[in-house]
Amino acid sequence: MNKYHLDYLGQLESEAIHIMREVAGQFEHPALLFSGGKDSITLVHLALKAFRPGKFPFPLVHIDTGHNFPEALDFRDQLVETIGEKLIVAKVEETIKQKNLTEQKGKFASRNALQTFTLLDVIEEYKFDALIGGARRDEEKARAKERIFSVRDEFGQWNPKLQRPELWNIYNGKIHKGENVRAFPISNWTELDIWNYIKRENIELPSIYFAHEREVIEHEGQLVSVSAHIKLDSTDVVLKRKVRYRTVGDMTCTAAVESNAYDLDGIITEIIATKTSERGETRIDDKVSEAAMEDRKKGGYF
Protein backbone atom coordinates (compact mmCIF):
# COMPACT_ATOMS: atom_id res chain seq x y z
CA MET A 1 0.00 0.00 0.00
CA ASN A 2 1.25 3.49 -0.83
CA LYS A 3 2.33 5.26 2.36
CA TYR A 4 0.11 8.23 1.50
CA HIS A 5 -2.92 5.96 1.90
CA LEU A 6 -1.89 4.99 5.42
CA ASP A 7 -3.30 6.64 8.52
CA TYR A 8 -0.85 8.53 10.70
CA LEU A 9 -0.05 5.49 12.86
CA GLY A 10 0.58 3.48 9.72
CA GLN A 11 2.98 6.14 8.45
CA LEU A 12 4.85 6.21 11.76
CA GLU A 13 5.06 2.43 11.73
CA SER A 14 6.31 2.40 8.14
CA GLU A 15 9.00 4.98 8.94
CA ALA A 16 10.16 3.06 12.03
CA ILE A 17 10.39 -0.23 10.12
CA HIS A 18 12.33 1.53 7.35
CA ILE A 19 14.80 2.90 9.93
CA MET A 20 15.27 -0.53 11.53
CA ARG A 21 15.97 -2.08 8.16
CA GLU A 22 18.42 0.72 7.38
CA VAL A 23 20.29 -0.07 10.60
CA ALA A 24 20.35 -3.78 9.74
CA GLY A 25 21.56 -3.00 6.24
CA GLN A 26 24.19 -0.38 7.02
CA PHE A 27 25.86 -1.79 10.13
CA GLU A 28 27.74 -5.00 10.86
CA HIS A 29 27.03 -5.39 14.58
CA PRO A 30 23.85 -3.59 15.65
CA ALA A 31 21.84 -4.20 18.84
CA LEU A 32 18.48 -3.12 20.23
CA LEU A 33 18.42 -1.58 23.71
CA PHE A 34 15.61 -3.22 25.66
CA SER A 35 14.47 -2.36 29.17
CA GLY A 36 10.99 -3.88 29.43
CA GLY A 37 9.43 -0.42 29.18
CA LYS A 38 6.64 0.53 26.77
CA ASP A 39 8.88 2.23 24.20
CA SER A 40 11.35 -0.65 23.93
CA ILE A 41 8.45 -3.12 23.87
CA THR A 42 7.05 -1.14 20.94
CA LEU A 43 10.46 -1.39 19.25
CA VAL A 44 10.43 -5.17 19.63
CA HIS A 45 6.94 -5.29 18.12
CA LEU A 46 8.17 -3.19 15.18
CA ALA A 47 11.21 -5.44 14.78
CA LEU A 48 8.92 -8.46 14.58
CA LYS A 49 7.08 -6.75 11.73
CA ALA A 50 10.32 -5.72 10.05
CA PHE A 51 12.15 -9.07 10.14
CA ARG A 52 9.79 -12.00 10.69
CA PRO A 53 9.63 -14.81 9.73
CA GLY A 54 13.43 -14.54 10.06
CA LYS A 55 15.35 -13.95 13.27
CA PHE A 56 16.30 -10.44 14.36
CA PRO A 57 19.60 -9.31 12.80
CA PHE A 58 20.63 -8.05 16.23
CA PRO A 59 20.46 -9.09 19.89
CA LEU A 60 18.49 -7.29 22.58
CA VAL A 61 20.64 -5.57 25.22
CA HIS A 62 19.51 -4.54 28.70
CA ILE A 63 21.70 -2.37 30.93
CA ASP A 64 20.50 -3.60 34.31
CA THR A 65 21.12 -1.11 37.12
CA GLY A 66 19.83 -3.42 39.83
CA HIS A 67 17.21 -0.80 40.75
CA ASN A 68 14.58 -1.93 38.27
CA PHE A 69 10.89 -2.48 38.90
CA PRO A 70 10.35 -6.24 39.30
CA GLU A 71 7.31 -6.07 37.00
CA ALA A 72 9.47 -4.73 34.16
CA LEU A 73 12.14 -7.42 34.61
CA ASP A 74 9.56 -10.22 34.73
CA PHE A 75 7.96 -8.92 31.56
CA ARG A 76 11.35 -8.56 29.87
CA ASP A 77 12.18 -12.21 30.49
CA GLN A 78 8.71 -13.39 29.50
CA LEU A 79 8.78 -11.49 26.20
CA VAL A 80 12.28 -12.66 25.28
CA GLU A 81 11.27 -16.27 25.92
CA THR A 82 8.12 -15.85 23.81
CA ILE A 83 9.86 -14.40 20.76
CA GLY A 84 12.95 -16.59 21.07
CA GLU A 85 15.54 -13.87 20.53
CA LYS A 86 18.93 -13.36 22.16
CA LEU A 87 19.10 -11.12 25.25
CA ILE A 88 22.35 -9.73 26.64
CA VAL A 89 22.05 -8.44 30.21
CA ALA A 90 24.89 -6.23 31.43
CA LYS A 91 24.81 -5.43 35.14
CA VAL A 92 25.82 -2.02 36.48
CA GLU A 93 26.58 -3.71 39.81
CA GLU A 94 29.44 -5.63 38.19
CA THR A 95 30.80 -2.47 36.54
CA ILE A 96 30.80 -0.68 39.89
CA LYS A 97 32.93 -3.46 41.39
CA GLN A 98 35.28 -3.82 38.41
CA LYS A 99 35.94 -0.10 38.01
CA ASN A 100 35.63 0.80 41.68
CA LEU A 101 33.01 3.42 40.85
CA THR A 102 31.53 5.68 43.50
CA GLU A 103 27.80 5.32 43.89
CA GLN A 104 25.53 8.27 44.46
CA LYS A 105 24.53 8.89 48.07
CA GLY A 106 21.31 10.13 49.57
CA LYS A 107 17.65 9.32 49.78
CA PHE A 108 17.17 8.52 46.10
CA ALA A 109 20.66 7.26 45.27
CA SER A 110 20.52 6.56 41.55
CA ARG A 111 22.76 4.49 39.30
CA ASN A 112 21.44 6.26 36.23
CA ALA A 113 24.72 8.03 35.47
CA LEU A 114 26.79 4.91 36.17
CA GLN A 115 24.97 2.82 33.58
CA THR A 116 26.83 4.79 30.90
CA PHE A 117 30.05 3.00 31.96
CA THR A 118 28.32 -0.36 31.57
CA LEU A 119 26.88 0.58 28.20
CA LEU A 120 30.26 1.68 26.83
CA ASP A 121 31.85 -1.54 28.10
CA VAL A 122 29.18 -3.62 26.34
CA ILE A 123 29.71 -1.70 23.11
CA GLU A 124 33.44 -2.41 23.32
CA GLU A 125 33.05 -6.07 24.29
CA TYR A 126 30.60 -6.95 21.52
CA LYS A 127 31.96 -4.46 18.97
CA PHE A 128 28.52 -2.91 18.47
CA ASP A 129 28.55 -0.21 15.81
CA ALA A 130 24.88 0.77 16.16
CA LEU A 131 22.40 0.71 19.03
CA ILE A 132 18.67 1.03 18.40
CA GLY A 133 16.95 2.95 21.20
CA GLY A 134 13.42 4.00 22.11
CA ALA A 135 14.05 7.72 22.66
CA ARG A 136 11.39 10.13 21.38
CA ARG A 137 11.79 13.84 20.70
CA ASP A 138 8.79 14.82 22.83
CA GLU A 139 10.27 13.27 25.97
CA GLU A 140 12.79 15.96 26.83
CA LYS A 141 14.42 18.98 25.17
CA ALA A 142 17.83 17.31 24.80
CA ARG A 143 16.14 14.43 22.99
CA ALA A 144 14.64 16.94 20.57
CA LYS A 145 18.12 18.04 19.47
CA GLU A 146 19.18 14.60 18.34
CA ARG A 147 18.94 13.14 14.85
CA ILE A 148 17.46 9.72 14.09
CA PHE A 149 20.99 8.49 13.34
CA SER A 150 23.10 10.03 16.12
CA VAL A 151 26.85 9.53 15.78
CA ARG A 152 28.93 8.99 18.92
CA ASP A 153 32.71 9.32 18.92
CA GLU A 154 35.25 6.69 19.96
CA PHE A 155 34.64 7.63 23.61
CA GLY A 156 30.88 7.25 23.25
CA GLN A 157 30.33 11.00 23.49
CA TRP A 158 27.69 13.01 21.65
CA ASN A 159 28.30 16.48 20.26
CA PRO A 160 24.98 18.23 19.54
CA LYS A 161 26.80 20.71 17.26
CA LEU A 162 28.14 17.97 14.98
CA GLN A 163 25.04 16.29 13.60
CA ARG A 164 24.31 15.13 10.09
CA PRO A 165 21.40 16.40 7.97
CA GLU A 166 18.66 13.83 7.35
CA LEU A 167 16.93 14.91 4.15
CA TRP A 168 14.31 12.84 2.28
CA ASN A 169 14.59 10.00 4.81
CA ILE A 170 18.20 9.35 3.88
CA TYR A 171 20.24 8.20 6.87
CA ASN A 172 24.02 8.36 6.75
CA GLY A 173 25.52 5.54 8.77
CA LYS A 174 29.13 5.98 7.69
CA ILE A 175 31.41 6.06 10.72
CA HIS A 176 35.11 5.90 11.51
CA LYS A 177 36.65 3.02 13.41
CA GLY A 178 35.69 3.19 17.07
CA GLU A 179 32.62 5.35 16.51
CA ASN A 180 29.07 4.07 16.82
CA VAL A 181 25.57 5.26 16.02
CA ARG A 182 22.49 5.49 18.21
CA ALA A 183 19.42 5.00 16.01
CA PHE A 184 15.95 6.12 17.14
CA PRO A 185 13.17 4.63 14.97
CA ILE A 186 10.34 6.16 17.03
CA SER A 187 11.96 9.57 17.37
CA ASN A 188 9.03 11.25 15.59
CA TRP A 189 6.39 9.55 17.77
CA THR A 190 4.72 11.19 20.75
CA GLU A 191 3.67 9.54 23.99
CA LEU A 192 0.08 9.59 22.73
CA ASP A 193 1.15 7.97 19.46
CA ILE A 194 2.80 5.16 21.42
CA TRP A 195 -0.35 4.47 23.41
CA ASN A 196 -2.64 4.65 20.39
CA TYR A 197 -0.32 2.23 18.58
CA ILE A 198 -0.20 -0.14 21.56
CA LYS A 199 -4.00 -0.14 21.58
CA ARG A 200 -4.27 -0.68 17.82
CA GLU A 201 -1.72 -3.52 17.81
CA ASN A 202 -2.96 -5.06 21.08
CA ILE A 203 0.57 -5.08 22.51
CA GLU A 204 1.00 -6.58 25.97
CA LEU A 205 2.63 -4.45 28.68
CA PRO A 206 3.79 -4.86 32.28
CA SER A 207 0.99 -4.33 34.80
CA ILE A 208 2.89 -1.36 36.25
CA TYR A 209 1.57 0.86 33.44
CA PHE A 210 -2.03 0.41 34.60
CA ALA A 211 -3.66 1.73 37.76
CA HIS A 212 -2.86 -0.37 40.83
CA GLU A 213 -2.55 0.19 44.57
CA ARG A 214 1.00 0.82 45.75
CA GLU A 215 2.86 1.96 48.84
CA VAL A 216 4.45 5.34 48.12
CA ILE A 217 5.91 8.38 49.83
CA GLU A 218 5.35 11.93 48.71
CA HIS A 219 8.50 13.84 47.76
CA GLU A 220 8.34 17.37 46.41
CA GLY A 221 4.91 16.72 44.98
CA GLN A 222 5.84 13.36 43.45
CA LEU A 223 4.79 9.88 44.52
CA VAL A 224 7.80 7.56 44.82
CA SER A 225 7.40 3.84 45.33
CA VAL A 226 8.60 2.39 48.63
CA SER A 227 11.36 -0.13 47.96
CA ALA A 228 14.63 -1.48 49.31
CA HIS A 229 16.42 1.09 47.13
CA ILE A 230 14.86 4.12 48.84
CA LYS A 231 16.15 5.30 52.22
CA LEU A 232 13.12 6.20 54.27
CA ASP A 233 13.45 8.99 56.84
CA SER A 234 11.70 9.02 60.18
CA THR A 235 9.50 11.83 58.86
CA ASP A 236 8.36 9.91 55.79
CA VAL A 237 4.73 8.86 55.76
CA VAL A 238 4.03 5.71 53.81
CA LEU A 239 0.79 6.10 51.86
CA LYS A 240 -1.32 3.69 49.87
CA ARG A 241 -2.32 5.26 46.59
CA LYS A 242 -3.89 4.12 43.36
CA VAL A 243 -1.18 4.90 40.81
CA ARG A 244 0.29 3.99 37.43
CA TYR A 245 3.60 4.75 35.71
CA ARG A 246 3.93 6.84 32.56
CA THR A 247 7.55 5.80 32.11
CA VAL A 248 9.54 3.03 33.78
CA GLY A 249 13.09 3.85 34.78
CA ASP A 250 14.77 2.92 38.04
CA MET A 251 12.75 2.76 41.24
CA THR A 252 15.07 5.42 42.68
CA CYS A 253 14.34 8.04 40.05
CA THR A 254 10.87 7.36 38.67
CA ALA A 255 7.69 8.68 40.25
CA ALA A 256 4.16 7.41 39.79
CA VAL A 257 1.03 9.39 38.97
CA GLU A 258 -2.32 8.99 40.68
CA SER A 259 -4.66 7.29 38.27
CA ASN A 260 -7.88 5.37 37.75
CA ALA A 261 -6.83 4.17 34.30
CA TYR A 262 -7.17 0.40 34.35
CA ASP A 263 -7.14 -0.02 30.58
CA LEU A 264 -5.70 1.57 27.44
CA ASP A 265 -8.72 3.78 26.83
CA GLY A 266 -8.36 5.22 30.33
CA ILE A 267 -4.64 5.87 29.84
CA ILE A 268 -5.20 7.56 26.49
CA THR A 269 -7.90 9.79 28.02
CA GLU A 270 -5.51 10.83 30.82
CA ILE A 271 -2.66 11.58 28.41
CA ILE A 272 -4.88 13.73 26.20
CA ALA A 273 -5.81 15.78 29.28
CA THR A 274 -2.31 16.15 30.76
CA LYS A 275 -0.20 19.26 30.21
CA THR A 276 3.17 17.83 31.27
CA SER A 277 5.57 15.47 29.53
CA GLU A 278 6.09 12.02 30.98
CA ARG A 279 9.69 12.71 32.02
CA GLY A 280 8.80 16.19 33.26
CA GLU A 281 6.18 14.75 35.57
CA THR A 282 7.80 11.54 36.71
CA ARG A 283 11.60 11.55 36.41
CA ILE A 284 13.37 12.76 39.54
CA ASP A 285 16.83 12.62 37.95
CA ASP A 286 15.91 15.10 35.21
CA LYS A 287 15.27 17.75 37.84
CA VAL A 288 18.93 17.90 38.90
CA SER A 289 19.61 20.70 36.44
CA GLU A 290 18.23 22.28 33.29
CA ALA A 291 20.74 20.32 31.22
CA ALA A 292 20.75 17.05 33.18
CA MET A 293 19.80 14.85 30.23
CA GLU A 294 22.04 16.64 27.74
CA ASP A 295 25.03 16.33 30.05
CA ARG A 296 24.45 12.59 30.40
CA LYS A 297 24.05 12.15 26.66
CA LYS A 298 27.30 14.01 25.97
CA GLY A 299 29.02 11.49 28.24
CA GLY A 300 27.66 8.45 26.41
CA TYR A 301 24.14 7.96 27.81
CA PHE A 302 21.37 6.52 25.63
Side-chain angles (χ1 to χ4, degrees):
M1 182 184 290
N2 189 298
K3 70 176 182 179
Y4 297 109
H5 295 159
L6 299 174
D7 62 12
Y8 84 101
L9 285 178
Q11 290 187 41
L12 289 173
E13 177 190 73
S14 179
E15 177 190 54
I17 289 173
H18 168 67
I19 293 166
M20 283 196 170
R21 288 173 175 167
E22 282 291 303
V23 173
Q26 291 194 44
F27 298 95
E28 294 184 7
H29 302 292
L32 189 153
L33 295 171
F34 182 68
S35 65
K38 70 181 188 306
D39 295 317
S40 62
I41 291 169
T42 298
L43 285 181
V44 169
H45 183 81
L46 290 164
L48 290 168
K49 287 200 167 191
F51 302 111
R52 284 294 189 256
K55 299 284 285 184
F56 289 178
F58 41 68
L60 308 182
V61 174
H62 182 209
I63 307 302
D64 184 353
T65 63
H67 291 169
N68 301 282
F69 286 90
E71 297 95 326
L73 291 181
D74 290 344
F75 189 91
R76 177 201 70 184
D77 295 339
Q78 172 194 325
L79 180 60
V80 169
E81 182 178 357
T82 299
I83 64 176
E85 295 292 342
K86 180 180 180 180
L87 172 68
I88 297 170
V89 178
K91 296 183 180 293
V92 175
E93 181 75 37
E94 294 177 4
T95 308
I96 292 171
K97 293 175 181 176
Q98 291 168 4
K99 295 183 179 295
N100 196 27
L101 300 177
T102 301
E103 291 201 58
Q104 195 178 87
K105 307 296 182 184
K107 189 180 188 70
F108 303 107
S110 173
R111 289 177 175 171
N112 215 6
L114 299 182
Q115 63 186 314
T116 297
F117 293 93
T118 308
L119 175 63
L120 296 179
D121 283 349
V122 167
I123 291 171
E124 183 177 0
E125 179 180 353
Y126 291 92
K127 309 301 179 187
F128 291 134
D129 51 4
L131 295 174
I132 300 170
R136 307 187 324 269
R137 289 187 176 124
D138 73 321
E139 287 181 84
E140 203 271 346
K141 56 190 178 183
R143 299 283 201 203
K145 292 182 179 182
E146 200 156 23
R147 299 288 193 268
I148 289 174
F149 271 25
S150 178
V151 179
R152 305 299 175 95
D153 66 20
E154 62 271 28
F155 303 107
Q157 297 177 330
W158 172 62
N159 186 343
K161 296 180 180 179
L162 295 177
Q163 298 194 82
R164 299 170 176 179
E166 293 179 337
L167 306 175
W168 306 292
N169 294 330
I170 296 175
Y171 306 106
N172 181 1
K174 291 183 178 179
I175 55 175
H176 296 100
K177 186 176 181 180
E179 294 178 337
N180 65 83
V181 165
R182 310 294 167 83
F184 305 113
I186 58 173
S187 188
N188 290 328
W189 299 42
T190 66
E191 182 187 12
L192 184 58
D193 293 335
I194 290 289
W195 284 108
N196 280 324
Y197 186 74
I198 286 169
K199 179 184 176 183
R200 191 185 81 168
E201 299 292 306
N202 194 28
I203 299 172
E204 287 189 45
L205 293 174
S207 59
I208 197 170
Y209 281 108
F210 302 93
H212 59 284
E213 196 171 77
R214 202 174 194 96
E215 286 191 342
V216 298
I217 59 171
E218 187 170 344
H219 174 75
E220 296 181 355
Q222 294 180 309
L223 298 176
V224 184
S225 179
V226 174
S227 74
H229 310 300
I230 304 295
K231 294 183 179 179
L232 295 180
D233 299 325
S234 58
T235 56
D236 285 325
V237 178
V238 177
L239 310 168
K240 275 202 170 184
R241 290 286 186 270
K242 199 179 297 181
V243 301
R244 68 176 181 85
Y245 285 85
R246 291 178 67 183
T247 180
V248 177
D250 279 359
M251 299 186 78
T252 54
C253 62
T254 309
V257 295
E258 289 199 79
S259 174
N260 289 308
Y262 294 100
D263 56 21
L264 294 173
D265 287 329
I267 291 174
I268 290 169
T269 298
E270 286 187 357
I271 292 170
I272 290 172
T274 190
K275 295 181 180 179
T276 57
S277 70
E278 59 192 286
R279 292 191 72 97
E281 184 175 21
T282 65
R283 293 303 289 265
I284 298 170
D285 52 332
D286 285 350
K287 298 180 183 298
V288 174
S289 74
E290 282 285 323
M293 171 63 80
E294 184 164 334
D295 290 341
R296 290 201 301 273
K297 289 174 75 65
K298 287 178 180 178
Y301 189 71
F302 308 142

